Amino acid sequence: MTEMELYDLWCSNVSGEPDLLEELKSIKGDKEAINDRFYRDLEFGTGGLRGVIGAGSNRMNVFTIRRATQGFADYLNQEYKNPSVAISFDSRIKSDIFSKAAAEVLAANGIKVHIYKELMPTPCLSFAVRQLKCQGGIMVTASHNPAKYNGYKVYGEDGCQITLRGAEIVLEKINSHDYFTGIKSSSFDEELAKGNISYIGDDVIEAFYQNVLNEGINTDLCASSGLKVVYTPLNGTGNKPVREILKRIGISDVTIVKEQENPDGHFTTCPYPNPEIREALEVGLRYCNEVKPDLLLATDPDCDRVGIAVPDGKGGYALFSGNEVGAMLLEYICEQRIKKGTMPKNPVAVKTIVTTDIASLIAKEYGVEIINVLTGFKFIGEQIGLLEEKGEENRYIFGFEESYGYLSGAYVRDKDAVNASMLICEMAAYYRTQGISLIQARENMYKKYGVFYQTLYSFEFDGESGMKRMNEIMSDIRTNPFDSIGGLKVVKFEDYKQSTSKDIATGKVTELTLPKSNVLAFYLEGGCKAIIRPSGTEPKIKTYLTAKASTHDEAAAIEQKLYGDFTKCMK
């Protein structure tokens, strides 16, 4: 069908959703607006769906949700006998509506549904899948995207986001359905009364809390440490669980950012609710200027990422990167578990390929095996699962990615900002009792291992033409790879789509063992690095730069030269 034919079809079939019909009527005759909504189906990637909320096949709405869920239901009924699914949702616009729509389709397909009564974090969804022995899970969230977005993440029975194989089968099932016929659905309230849909109980939430608390190392020091915290859940799901965990470990001096305390999918005080960027923390930083805490803590809307800011010693507050926090947590966990005698034999830590290489030096210092995986926390979760298959999940001590995701336990298979918030506060409390600030602890780490200065730049390419340009850029760089970047020679070039690693000096090509992925990595002289990949959820090319030097200023100067070269080719 053409975009106009699809537009007419939707106009004839969405009368039950007045807001969608009104939107379609408002763009009548606007070819560009119609094309943007119908030039493709919203892509079901390895994690699920993510897109702008609205009418059309390229938008998040109850029809795209129902169609995706029908495909997921077909997959589950093919793979399992009497499957069940856990569902959670965040504070985003229509998240509760989308979660109920998914539950109605699953129940109509004979699949038992366990759904949280209220919004809950992504790690709580992963935990519920495992705790309730479900065969799948659905988390309705767009993570840290702006308010106009929502999303739908699909999980397997292991609590990880669905495997590549599973995603391919689900996509095939989805594509066998249109949006308005052949999709089974039922009444949420009727299915609830029948017991085909049930609410997840407080016992599951309490079990999650206990598993988080079990990951503490020095929580006994927290109550007497005098640690002062400002916390913002950025109008998301972290408000209750993070505050509960901090209370239980004895962190009582917690000031909540009132403007961002309660759920609000419009995110009026932080249009881009991403703790990776300063804009999202601005309101919290204003609180810091008054309260003067030891730590600002900010979790994203689905509470799987956490960002921090700490006193910089000059009267202001410094934001730490995800790489820095992850590396500091890794060293803290290693050092303290060895000191406490709780370090397992042959310990393992896991990070993604775009995450700081300082982790490898820290792991070596403490005798920890470091495993590198593709971008995406599900690959970290996969490694925990492989250990579990051998009865060795206790070897896993920590996993993290540069995008502010951390996990220290095997009880869930996704990043967990509840767990990470506890560990960060515990680490800060411990150092405080030693007379060390977090800014000093970071400097101590860099003196020991060298300064690794990492940055992430996202180059946006909107619309159909933007997607085409993204593909052209990746193809051009793959075909004609850089021989130098920022004045530094390339010593090794890796193409994860072709599974090749080439040593530039010798010309020797070896095979990469990780799954194929559209990622290009350039290793530069002096330990510097540049990695580029298209985002799997947004119309962006992401560029990860690493500058290594003996001082922060030297590293920052190198990084700017690296960045200058990349801006030239991203046009």
Side-chain angles (χ1 to χ4, degrees):
M1 285 189 179
T2 65
E3 286 82 3
M4 190 56 66
E5 288 172 335
L6 284 169
Y7 170 77
D8 291 336
L9 177 66
W10 276 65
C11 286
S12 301
N13 285 275
V14 301
S15 57
E17 301 293 332
D19 60 326
L20 299 184
L21 184 59
E22 184 63 29
E23 180 184 341
L24 291 173
K25 287 181 177 179
S26 73
I27 62 170
K28 185 175 181 179
D30 187 337
K31 290 184 178 180
E32 184 176 344
I34 291 171
N35 181 69
D36 185 45
R37 286 163 175 78
F38 293 100
Y39 80 89
R40 65 167 189 167
D41 289 335
L42 193 64
E43 184 178 354
F44 186 91
T46 55
L49 303 171
R50 188 177 297 186
V52 174
I53 302 164
S57 59
N58 188 33
R59 292 289 188 270
M60 285 293 297
N61 52 66
V62 292
F63 298 101
T64 52
I65 289 288
R66 287 171 184 157
R67 181 171 179 255
T69 307
Q70 183 63 57
F72 189 34
D74 292 345
Y75 162 76
L76 290 170
N77 280 325
Q78 172 184 291
E79 299 288 322
Y80 302 99
K81 184 178 181 181
N82 300 320
S84 62
V85 171
I87 298 178
S88 185
F89 58 95
D90 70 1
S91 60
R92 287 184 173 273
I93 297 166
K94 293 193 173 184
S95 279
D96 55 341
I97 294 171
F98 293 164
S99 66
K100 285 188 175 182
E104 289 170 342
V105 172
L106 292 169
N109 280 272
I111 296 171
K112 171 70 177 176
V113 176
H114 304 275
I115 187 169
Y116 280 107
K117 293 178 183 177
E118 60 179 339
L119 72 174
M120 291 292 285
T122 288
C124 292
L125 182 277
S126 177
F127 183 80
V129 170
R130 295 174 58 79
Q131 185 77 358
L132 298 172
K133 295 180 171 53
C134 296
Q135 285 66 53
I138 294 171
M139 180 72 201
V140 180
T141 179
S143 189
H144 55 276
N145 285 81
K148 67 180 181 179
Y149 284 85
N150 211 329
Y152 170 102
K153 296 199 291 189
V154 178
Y155 288 73
E157 64 179 333
D158 56 357
C160 284
Q161 287 189 45
I162 197 167
T163 64
L164 296 174
R165 172 189 171 274
E168 289 174 358
I169 298 174
V170 171
L171 178 58
E172 181 182 335
K173 301 292 186 184
I174 292 171
N175 289 338
S176 69
H177 297 283
D178 64 33
Y179 289 92
F180 306 111
T181 60
I183 294 174
K184 299 176 184 177
S185 187
S186 55
S187 162
F188 184 91
D189 290 337
E190 289 179 9
E191 296 293 350
L192 188 66
K194 293 177 185 176
N196 297 325
I197 296 175
S198 62
Y199 287 117
I200 295 172
D202 292 342
D203 58 323
V204 174
I205 298 172
E206 179 58 31
F208 171 77
Y209 288 155
Q210 290 301 323
N211 275 273
V212 172
L213 292 168
N214 288 342
E215 294 304 313
I217 304 171
N218 288 306
T219 50
D220 56 317
L221 297 175
C222 292
S224 60
S225 68
L227 189 75
K228 183 184 289 188
V229 177
V230 168
Y231 170 58
T232 171
L234 297 180
N235 301 118
T237 60
N239 187 35
K240 289 185 178 180
V242 170
R243 292 171 73 174
E244 179 65 21
I245 287 297
L246 295 188
K247 182 178 75 173
R248 292 196 189 191
I249 66 172
I251 304 292
S252 57
D253 195 346
V254 180
T255 300
I256 305 301
V257 177
K258 290 297 181 184
E259 297 90 331
Q260 299 171 343
E261 178 179 12
N262 296 317
D264 181 1
H266 293 92
F267 307 118
T268 53
T269 61
C270 53
Y272 200 79
N274 182 354
E276 298 179 54
I277 61 173
R278 191 177 189 91
E279 179 188 18
L281 275 62
E282 287 293 351
V283 180
L285 288 168
R286 290 203 294 270
Y287 272 66
C288 290
N289 292 332
E290 298 177 10
V291 177
K292 305 296 183 185
D294 301 291
L295 177 67
L296 168 64
L297 205 64
T299 54
D300 70 342
D302 66 323
C303 196
D304 63 353
R305 304 169 194 252
V306 58
I308 70 170
V310 304
D312 61 7
K314 304 173 185 177
Y317 280 78
L319 275 62
F320 279 14
S321 72
N323 279 313
E324 290 172 331
V325 173
M328 290 172 68
L329 284 173
L330 175 60
E331 178 146 60
Y332 171 75
I333 289 168
C334 290
E335 180 184 77
Q336 293 302 308
R337 290 195 66 171
I338 289 174
K339 183 178 179 181
K340 296 273 187 178
T342 61
M343 183 68 95
K345 186 178 180 181
N346 301 319
V348 170
V350 190
K351 73 175 188 70
T352 62
I353 58 173
V354 299
T355 298
T356 178
D357 289 328
I358 199 172
S360 298
L361 300 180
I362 294 169
K364 183 179 180 180
E365 173 75 11
Y366 294 97
V368 175
E369 178 187 355
I370 195 86
I371 296 176
N372 284 287
V373 297
L374 290 178
T375 307
F377 213 90
K378 68 178 180 180
F379 295 111
I380 296 176
E382 182 180 54
Q383 291 298 317
I384 304 172
L386 293 173
L387 290 171
E388 186 179 49
E389 288 176 4
K390 298 185 288 185
E392 299 176 357
E393 64 271 23
N394 289 335
R395 289 177 58 199
Y396 170 81
I397 61 167
F398 191 58
F400 75 107
E401 58 185 4
E402 51 75 38
S403 55
Y404 293 58
Y406 321 99
L407 176 67
S408 69
Y411 59 97
V412 295
R413 298 299 157 80
D414 212 333
K415 49 192 175 287
D416 181 2
V418 183
N419 164 256
S421 295
M422 180 191 75
L423 289 174
I424 290 168
C425 287
E426 181 196 299
M427 176 174 68
Y430 171 78
Y431 285 138
R432 197 177 196 277
T433 64
Q434 305 297 306
I436 302 171
S437 68
L438 285 179
I439 204 93
Q440 290 170 322
R442 184 182 68 173
E443 293 312 304
N444 291 342
M445 178 179 72
Y446 282 144
K447 285 179 182 178
K448 187 175 180 180
Y449 301 106
V451 176
F452 286 72
Y453 186 84
Q454 291 95 10
T455 51
L456 165 62
Y457 296 98
S458 294
F459 300 90
E460 295 194 26
F461 301 86
D462 292 325
E464 185 176 11
S465 61
M467 294 293 289
K468 181 179 179 182
R469 181 58 188 146
M470 283 174 60
N471 291 332
E472 288 175 350
I473 289 171
M474 292 300 295
S475 178
D476 287 347
I477 297 175
R478 175 171 281 111
T479 305
N480 303 291
F482 304 108
D483 53 20
S484 68
I485 304 174
L488 298 175
K489 290 182 180 179
V490 175
V491 297
K492 184 169 65 173
F493 170 57
E494 293 182 341
D495 184 340
Y496 285 81
K497 192 172 184 179
Q498 304 298 328
S499 296
T500 56
S501 176
K502 182 178 181 180
D503 185 300
I504 303 302
T506 64
K508 183 180 180 181
V509 177
T510 55
E511 183 179 359
L512 295 172
T513 58
L514 293 179
K516 292 181 182 296
S517 183
N518 194 8
V519 179
L520 301 174
F522 296 88
Y523 294 80
L524 313 174
E525 57 186 339
C528 300
K529 187 165 64 173
I531 298 179
I532 60 172
R533 70 176 184 91
S535 170
T537 56
E538 302 169 275
K540 297 178 179 180
I541 288 180
K542 293 190 173 184
T543 302
Y544 305 81
L545 304 178
T546 297
K548 185 177 183 293
S550 57
T551 70
H552 183 275
D553 289 345
E554 290 173 1
I558 293 171
E559 186 275 340
Q560 278 300 294
K561 292 180 181 178
L562 300 179
Y563 172 66
D565 273 4
F566 271 99
T567 57
K568 298 173 186 175
C569 64
M570 294 294 171
K571 296 178 182 179

